[in-house]
Amino acid sequence: MLSLILLCWIIPITLIIKSKKTNGSEKLGWILAMLFISWVAWIFYLLFAPLNARQNTNGR
């Protein structure tokens, strides 16, 4: 039972770490939010990340 609970915490953290939606300090912020607030922050990550729109590099 403990391993199932631990798995429920590790999978979202792993998915955030491997995600290409965010990088650097924003990714760290999402992981910290998930650890200190709740794993529900992972759902917010899926809905709202990235928080800052990336610059379009093709000149438009």
Side-chain angles (χ1 to χ4, degrees), residues 18-55:
K18 292 185 179 234
S19 174
K20 297 199 185 311
K21 288 171 116 177
T22 57
N23 58 20
S25 61
E26 187 176 6
K27 189 175 286 196
L28 178 63
W30 281 109
I31 292 171
L32 289 175
M34 211 186 93
L35 290 174
F36 291 112
I37 297 171
S38 172
W39 66 269
V40 177
W42 179 60
I43 295 171
F44 291 131
Y45 174 80
L46 293 174
L47 294 174
F48 300 120
L51 293 177
N52 296 326
R54 295 185 181 205
Q55 297 282 337

